[in-house]
Amino acid sequence: MTDKPELLVTPHQANDIPDLISAGADAFLVGEEAFGLRLAGNFDREEMEKAVELAHKTGANVYAAVNAIFHNNQLKNLKEYIRFLNRIGVDAIVYGDPAVLLIAKETAPSIPLHWNTETTATNWQTVNYWGKQGAERAVLARELNMDAITEIKENATVDIEIQVHGMACMFQSKRKLVGNYMEYQGRNLQIERRDKERSLHLYDSERDVKYPVFEDRNGTHIMSPRDMCIIDELDELLDVGVDAFKIEGILKDKAYLTEVTALYKQAIDLYYQDQSLYNNKREIMLDKAKSLQPRTRDIDTGFFFKETVY
Amino acid sequence: MKAAVQKKKDNRTTKELKKPELLLPAGNLEKLKIAVHYGADAVYIGGQEYGLRSNAANFSIEQMKEGVTFAQKYSAKVYVTTNIFAHNENMDGLAEYLESIEAAGVAGIIAADPLIIETAKKAAPSLEIHLSTQQSLTNWLAVKFWKEQGLERVVLAREVSLEEMLEIKKHVDIEIETFIHGAMCISYSGRCVLSNHMTARDSNRGGCCQSCRWNYDLLESDGKEVKPLHSINDEPFTMSPKDLNLIQSIPKLMDAGIDSLKVEGRMKSIHYVATVASVYRKVIDEYYTNPEHFQIKREWLEELGKCANRDTAPAFFENVPTYKEQLWGESKKNAPYEFAGMVLYYDKKTKMVTLQQRNYFKPGDEVEFFGPNSNSFKQTVPILFDDKGNKMDAARHPLQVVCFQLDQPVKPWDMMRKNKE
């Protein structure tokens, strides 16, 4: 049997880390909005240092999200930021833009790299290509099903991470699309907030679902209408040895994130103890996961059992 | 001495102006021929697989060969788009496909996925590899990365401004291709999976259902109460960008030394392809020949307007676009002109034009003729005949051959359009 997968969560602040470790988290993905995309919380440099300190106390890992799409004028700060990450000893840099890869190889050659563009890691040869460029891990697109994930894992030369729980990003634009609409309506943008705390949604009447939408310095982001949850369908992924399971904490509170983390920890432990124990508790764990959901957000199984056409 | 002073005064004359490639889309063989005939230096086409327009007719390998042979007569190049982000299931047959494209005489591929790039390097080494805009390249270091990977050319993200292009050019010696005209994604290309989530169609494999252009309600919700952020009279929230149009900025792009100017639209009609190709051909040639006294002519702008089915804007060229660069409510329109017929033959003695019908027209209609190098002119359709000399009350049938008397001479492949309004 393979090693247990790493349970990776995205906390809102450094102080949440000890409780999340107690709940079963092995690693944390954190970052600063200027460099990372769609973070559960914005970690300034002090907060980053604190996160590393708190996590390392118990042997947990901290990965820095440096996965923004960078324009020329951000490259100078990017280099300086990677130096900072090197100094504070983060355990990996998560990137999508090859600019980060080049800077990291030069400035911080000993920090492991995780490749994550969110949407484009869709086949094992491409995953291995980024491995050859220096990535130790690839984060797969969320729009893949169980068979595709399994095939990638079986052929990958790098570690494979997938998201198992929470919201998914469906769209990023550099344009300020919510602000543009408000301005078009004649609203005063000085007083209209469009950040993720305002809880804005796009309502799709044909599907009768609401997509969370928000703006930040990286542009406009639109999120999935339901949270994926596969607490009761982990066996194939555990069997094939997927290396890391991510639980996404964006737009959720700490209590939710802690409970969900504990639930997945329980599921993984049960499976490794005895698969029949996991089998017996699947339904109970799924019910528990459902009970944790905010009233207005359902769960689904994402793309794990879906076929897409084109 | 005097000449040197003169040169210093005018920056443009000190720099060697290079003619950029004018790159047009071609959704099928006929459009390829028209694009090349109307002035494209190169065309990009889709094959049966691996391209992002699964709804377009696309080319078989045989048709690619015919297209390449045709284009060669005009010294034009043919590129094939293979710009999907492939899934495991798409790997089988890829190498063979790329080999057959290479054998067909295609100059290069436009690719985004390293799987396809790496396979092409091995299986079809003579193909140039151009990085697709699907990679959303926005900075010079990322461009440098792809140059080091052996790519000949990169297509920049639509989010890159002129200033940023200049800086990229300064840092990296690689061919730069950029979009100048047509529809575009409102998201960072390659980073949108709305279609996947909403309709189970894979946007990054050609299944995009353009759900960004649908209507939505913007709501605010605090977990208990849901409040709409619009009133009954407001247009709904939507994310429809105006089409790109950089005709005014062609001189700046040429000054910047951009290597290829690209028009979007493999799904567009031959009327669109012909009109856009001929207008940009004239703009590029005229600025190249006479940069000091160059001015955009009103007739060029009018020509472009005849095939425009959306309002246009310069997008990110100068600044991040605002609400004014988006389409709201009923501002979506259809092209004011439609393609009515293709010239097959003109008899100078009898002044009779022979046309292939492409849309309904009848005697008394005002029509307009245009060709690749000529200025357009209008005439009213006089008595109409079929190919056997019988009088007709209207040209009703697609591809039907019809004749009428036309005062000004035209050439085969000139087009006849009709104002729909």
Side-chain angles (χ1 to χ4, degrees):
Chain A
M1 203 182 243
T2 55
D3 287 344
K4 284 184 190 176
E6 171 188 275
L7 207 47
L8 170 68
V9 302
T10 61
H12 303 88
Q13 51 181 6
N15 278 338
D16 296 350
I17 285 177
D19 286 347
L20 288 166
I21 291 175
S22 305
D26 304 302
F28 300 93
L29 176 66
V30 294
E32 189 179 329
E33 198 182 284
F35 304 99
L37 296 175
R38 297 173 286 278
L39 304 159
N42 188 34
F43 282 50
D44 63 16
R45 301 213 176 184
E46 205 179 309
E47 195 76 357
M48 286 296 284
E49 280 195 76
K50 197 169 161 190
V52 171
E53 199 185 303
L54 287 170
H56 284 182
K57 249 187 217 166
T58 48
N61 285 334
V62 171
Y63 307 142
V66 194
N67 58 341
I69 298 169
F70 295 96
H71 286 252
N72 291 335
N73 62 3
Q74 294 164 287
L75 293 180
K76 217 178 114 199
N77 289 343
L78 177 60
K79 194 163 182 175
E80 198 268 318
Y81 186 63
I82 288 173
R83 275 203 204 101
F84 160 78
L85 295 175
N86 193 31
R87 201 168 60 239
I88 65 168
V90 297
D91 300 284
I93 285 174
V94 180
Y95 80 97
D97 191 324
V100 178
L101 177 74
L102 294 187
I103 295 175
K105 279 210 249 183
E106 186 196 311
T107 319
S110 60
I111 303 184
L113 296 165
H114 296 175
W115 177 61
N116 183 10
T117 58
E118 301 208 333
T119 55
T120 70
T122 50
N123 70 72
W124 56 266
Q125 288 202 35
T126 292
V127 159
N128 291 348
Y129 168 87
W130 290 106
K132 253 189 0 207
Q133 304 304 323
E136 288 186 8
R137 178 186 291 190
V139 183
L140 300 189
R142 284 165 294 222
E143 292 73 31
L144 296 176
N145 64 26
M146 219 46 113
D147 291 345
I149 295 167
T150 305
E151 193 182 334
I152 292 175
K153 175 56 199 167
E154 282 168 347
N155 292 284
T157 55
V158 292
D159 285 353
I160 296 296
E161 174 186 316
I162 60 163
Q163 184 177 333
V164 292
H165 194 95
M167 206 175 267
C169 171
M170 309 191 293
F171 171 98
Q172 182 189 349
S173 173
K174 189 175 164 67
R175 303 187 197 217
K176 306 283 182 186
L177 297 169
V178 177
N180 286 354
Y181 179 57
M182 290 175 167
E183 223 180 337
Y184 167 70
Q185 286 177 312
R187 287 171 185 263
N188 183 350
L189 280 192
Q190 309 292 311
I191 55 166
E192 297 284 357
R193 291 176 59 196
R194 291 109 74 199
D195 59 11
K196 62 183 191 301
E197 314 314 326
R198 188 166 175 190
S199 197
L200 295 172
H201 292 82
L202 299 180
Y203 177 64
D204 174 344
S205 58
E206 199 176 318
R207 282 158 203 79
D208 192 23
V209 289
K210 296 200 294 280
Y211 311 112
V213 60
F214 62 90
E215 273 178 32
D216 61 21
R217 58 191 298 163
N218 294 302
T220 308
H221 312 268
I222 303 175
M223 312 298 284
S224 60
R226 286 174 289 270
D227 291 322
M228 73 173 88
C229 170
I230 50 160
I231 188 75
D232 58 328
E233 298 284 356
L234 293 172
D235 27 352
E236 261 184 78
L237 300 167
L238 290 166
D239 266 347
V240 75
V242 169
D243 303 277
F245 287 173
K246 178 155 85 188
I247 297 170
E248 181 53 75
I250 192 168
L251 294 168
K252 294 290 185 327
D253 60 24
K254 183 200 167 190
Y256 175 92
L257 190 56
T258 313
E259 293 211 60
V260 170
T261 303
L263 200 56
Y264 278 87
K265 175 68 178 165
Q266 185 196 359
I268 294 165
D269 286 349
L270 280 175
Y271 186 84
Y272 275 78
Q273 206 183 326
D274 186 341
Q275 289 186 27
S276 65
L277 291 177
Y278 173 70
N279 282 337
N280 295 339
K281 285 206 82 174
R282 278 175 203 257
E283 290 305 319
I284 299 169
M285 289 190 292
L286 180 61
D287 288 342
K288 171 76 177 163
K290 283 180 185 163
S291 74
L292 295 174
Q293 283 302 112
R295 194 179 51 80
T296 52
R297 261 184 91 79
D298 290 335
I299 55 168
D300 67 11
T301 53
F303 284 80
F304 287 100
F305 303 101
K306 223 186 251 184
E307 286 297 328
T308 42
V309 296
Y310 51 96
Chain B
M1 192 62 201
K2 213 176 173 188
V5 173
Q6 184 68 37
K7 270 189 182 174
K8 252 191 176 171
K9 262 191 196 161
D10 190 341
N11 249 336
R12 269 202 308 247
T13 53
T14 60
K15 205 161 45 175
E16 187 106 346
L17 203 55
K18 203 185 69 178
K19 225 182 220 196
E21 172 185 274
L22 175 60
L23 177 57
L24 264 290
N28 61 34
L29 195 53
E30 185 183 34
K31 291 176 195 174
L32 178 150
K33 292 177 179 177
I34 291 294
V36 169
H37 184 71
Y38 276 75
D41 299 306
V43 292
Y44 61 100
I45 65 176
Q48 307 287 359
E49 284 179 276
Y50 304 106
L52 271 185
R53 294 290 178 277
S54 52
N55 287 332
N58 294 326
F59 284 66
S60 66
I61 297 296
E62 280 312 304
Q63 288 169 326
M64 281 185 199
K65 283 184 194 160
E66 194 183 333
V68 168
T69 308
F70 180 89
Q72 275 165 352
K73 286 188 229 154
Y74 293 76
S75 304
K77 286 180 178 172
V78 177
Y79 306 123
V80 174
T81 55
T82 55
N83 55 346
I84 63 165
F85 284 108
H87 288 217
N88 301 334
E89 67 203 39
N90 305 117
M91 289 178 183
D92 279 350
L94 173 63
E96 294 75 14
Y97 177 69
L98 294 168
E99 280 166 22
S100 59
I101 291 179
E102 184 186 39
V106 163
I109 56 168
I110 305 168
D113 191 330
L115 157 72
I116 294 177
I117 294 169
E118 293 300 300
T119 308
K121 283 186 198 167
K122 287 191 205 93
S126 76
L127 285 178
E128 277 186 31
I129 303 172
H130 300 174
L131 192 74
S132 162
T133 196
Q134 283 290 101
Q135 275 286 0
S136 276
L137 267 187
T138 48
N139 68 72
W140 65 263
L141 253 185
V143 173
K144 185 171 165 237
F145 171 84
W146 291 109
K147 181 184 162 71
E148 286 167 0
Q149 295 299 306
L151 270 55
E152 278 82 2
R153 182 189 289 187
V154 293
V155 188
L156 298 178
R158 291 30 144 64
E159 288 77 8
V160 174
S161 68
L162 173 65
E163 200 184 320
E164 290 172 328
M165 279 180 216
L166 286 165
E167 200 178 341
I168 290 170
K169 264 278 171 202
K170 198 174 78 191
H171 280 98
V172 195
D173 180 22
I174 189 168
E175 286 184 23
I176 301 279
E177 176 175 311
T178 197
F179 282 94
I180 54 166
H181 200 90
M184 59 186 159
C185 290
I186 199 155
S187 68
Y188 279 107
S189 295
R191 302 296 185 96
C192 170
V193 283
L194 288 180
S195 276
N196 304 52
H197 287 258
M198 294 180 182
T199 63
R201 291 173 59 87
D202 190 349
S203 53
N204 286 331
R205 282 190 288 173
C208 172
C209 64
Q210 302 207 24
S211 38
C212 55
R213 297 190 194 265
W214 298 351
N215 291 335
Y216 302 90
D217 291 331
L218 182 64
L219 310 174
E220 179 176 17
S221 121
D222 60 4
K224 294 182 213 91
E225 203 189 356
V226 177
K227 189 176 111 193
L229 285 180
H230 57 87
S231 62
I232 286 176
N233 299 324
D234 281 340
E235 294 294 350
F237 179 94
T238 187
M239 301 180 285
S240 197
K242 285 186 180 173
D243 283 359
L244 180 68
N245 177 342
L246 290 182
I247 185 168
Q248 303 281 3
S249 306
I250 298 303
K252 284 184 187 168
L253 285 161
M254 286 170 68
D255 288 346
I258 301 302
D259 302 273
S260 178
L261 305 179
K262 181 177 202 166
V263 175
E264 177 279 341
R266 282 195 283 131
M267 306 284 279
K268 295 270 168 59
S269 68
I270 62 170
H271 174 228
Y272 179 90
V273 168
T275 306
V276 175
S278 68
V279 171
Y280 280 101
R281 176 79 277 146
K282 286 171 191 150
V283 176
I284 293 168
D285 289 352
E286 201 138 318
Y287 184 67
Y288 181 76
T289 321
N290 196 357
E292 287 82 8
H293 301 104
F294 177 83
Q295 264 192 324
I296 293 283
K297 292 183 185 160
R298 200 163 65 166
E299 69 216 46
W300 295 338
L301 301 176
E302 283 169 5
E303 271 299 289
L304 273 186
K306 286 170 189 169
C307 68
N309 49 11
R310 290 196 190 107
D311 286 343
T312 63
F316 284 87
F317 197 69
E318 307 279 358
N319 287 304
V320 175
T322 68
Y323 75 94
K324 290 175 188 155
E325 285 80 32
Q326 281 175 242
L327 297 164
W328 305 100
E330 297 307 311
S331 59
K332 297 148 196 175
K333 61 172 186 183
N334 286 315
Y337 280 74
E338 69 184 4
F339 179 32
M342 175 93 92
V343 174
L344 300 175
Y345 178 69
Y346 183 78
D347 189 326
K348 279 181 183 145
K349 276 186 217 144
T350 60
K351 293 195 167 180
M352 288 292 276
V353 63
T354 306
L355 289 154
Q356 189 181 56
Q357 194 265 29
R358 293 303 179 100
N359 259 309
Y360 177 90
F361 67 94
K362 61 179 189 317
D365 284 350
E366 189 183 69
V367 290
E368 182 176 291
F369 284 84
F370 72 104
N373 305 307
S374 55
N375 291 326
S376 61
F377 66 90
K378 290 189 166 82
Q379 186 184 307
T380 303
V381 178
I383 308 167
L384 193 61
F385 303 96
D386 68 11
D387 54 347
K388 298 189 179 65
N390 303 313
K391 264 194 207 168
M392 304 169 73
D393 63 340
R396 285 196 173 79
H397 307 295
L399 306 184
Q400 184 176 25
V401 176
V402 299
C403 313
F404 61 82
Q405 194 141 33
L406 186 66
D407 299 336
Q408 292 195 46
V410 287
K411 292 188 180 129
W413 292 29
D414 282 3
M415 288 188 188
M416 183 180 89
R417 55 161 82 106
K418 197 180 98 179
N419 195 335
K420 288 192 290 189
E421 284 150 6

